[in-house]
Amino acid sequence: MSELYQKEINNIINTDIAVFGAGPAGVAAAVMAARQGNKVLLVEKSGCLGGMGTSGLVPAFMAAGDGEKILCQGFGYEVIDKILIGHKKREELLKGLREHIPIDPEKLKVIYDDLIKEANVYVKLFTQAIDVITEDKVVTGVIIAENEQLSMVHAKQYIDTTGDATLSYYAGADCVIGDKLGDTMPPTLCFVLSGIDYDKYSLITKRMKEYIEKAIKNQAFTNPDRHVSGPFRWGENVVGMNCGHMFDSDCLTSDGLTKAITWGRKIAREFTTFYNEYVPGFENAELCATATVVGVRETRRIVGEYTLTIEDYNQRKSFKDEIGRCNYSVDIHKNSGSEDSFAQLLKEMRKTYHIGDFESYGIPLRSLIPKGFTNLLVAGRCISTDRLVQGSIRIMPTCFITGQAAGLEASKRVK
């Protein structure tokens, strides 16, 4: 059964370029497009810019450097340069040291705010796209829900940086989900612990596997999970945690996300107790925050003018329309906490699909273009790749690269 609902929209917003989703890809796209002299609108459903690095509390940028240089030059370098002020390894990391870069989410929020303000981007927080109007694969308008009204956005070029390819999906672009069976990586709800004696912890890091196995044997977790990322040190006694998986979650539905984030808060408490009871240096650790959004790793990917494949990755391929390069191993989180699943993940990252120092593969502009569309671009984790490559390009430094490229390409098309 269906019902017809009609409503007249009286508020019209006209702009050159409209960007939907203000994670790292969206902010990069909006700032770079605005710096070319365009009128730019940036729409974000949460209350801050930055996506996973801020609202999501993901504690580090991964693989920004390839061992000799930072790959996300331009906008990404600007952000990393600012976030590293005061860091003891700042110079080495800016030269491309292949190591994670810790994120202070409150600092990062202000960095993004300042960059957006300096570029004169028109930002609408607490706002999201709810429908797209297309004619013959041309986007003619996007309906957005603001806190006070529905509005229609008319732009010359549209950029989808939603992560879930939501705008592209609403527009009728072809998309694929997960693997051949539609299964996707499990999400994580990141969290923050305080009260850490990090010097004490640093002496025992090689024994973490032993502590995890002991806790699992003692039934410390509702759902055993051996894949623990972190802790990532933020300050003297504060760490960011990217661990715990909500297995078999459907992150494309509101019901699925509701279930996942509720489950994630329980997992965060279980891991806090685990660290208190099993890990030296964490005896007095306290859970002081959980993320306000689910850390989704994988949902839709667009079908683009070119699909980047694992063969391209293995060949470390270059392209004539290359927009940048990525240096991150294929990192497919498994929908199980079993020993076999974790062993498979480690084998893939460290051997089967490992990428080493001074290596990288190219990303073509065509992978940012939904097939057949002329005024829609995509950036972030939902660009056109196969499932294995998505497990590599989904990291934030690469989102800076694809976002910057989308902003610059949209600017060319406007002119």
Side-chain angles (χ1 to χ4, degrees), residues 210-272:
E210 171 191 333
Y211 299 138
I212 283 284
E213 291 299 336
K214 185 176 180 181
I216 289 174
K217 184 177 180 180
N218 293 337
Q219 298 183 324
F221 302 103
T222 303
N223 294 280
D225 192 348
R226 292 167 171 83
H227 187 177
V228 179
S229 179
F232 296 88
R233 192 176 188 178
W234 287 354
E236 193 64 30
N237 61 358
V238 178
V239 296
M241 304 297 299
N242 182 1
C243 62
H245 294 84
M246 292 81 87
F247 300 123
D248 296 311
S249 292
D250 181 357
C251 293
L252 283 173
T253 67
S254 295
D255 286 348
L257 288 169
T258 300
K259 179 182 177 182
I261 200 166
T262 305
W263 183 2
R265 285 192 280 266
K266 181 179 180 182
I267 289 173
R269 301 204 71 84
E270 289 187 348
F271 265 98
T272 302

Side-chain angles (χ1 to χ4, degrees), residues 22-25 27-28 31 47-62 72 75-85 101-118 234 395-397 399-400:
V27 178
V31 169
C48 70
L49 308 173
M52 287 298 103
T54 54
S55 297
L57 293 180
V58 172
F61 292 123
M62 305 302 289
C72 53
F75 182 83
Y77 187 94
E78 287 183 57
V79 174
I80 290 170
D81 182 32
K82 294 175 187 295
I83 203 76
L84 282 174
I85 292 174
I101 297 171
I103 298 172
D104 176 337
E106 296 305 320
K107 184 177 180 180
L108 186 57
K109 287 176 188 176
V110 175
I111 289 171
Y112 286 140
D113 284 342
D114 289 346
L115 287 167
I116 284 287
K117 185 176 181 180
E118 290 164 8
W234 287 354
I395 59 173
M396 287 185 279
C399 289
F400 287 140

Side-chain angles (χ1 to χ4, degrees), residues 147-162:
N147 206 38
E148 72 278 20
Q149 62 189 345
L150 296 181
S151 298
M152 177 71 76
V153 176
H154 290 303
K156 297 172 184 175
Q157 290 287 322
Y158 300 84
I159 302 177
D160 180 350
T161 49
T162 60

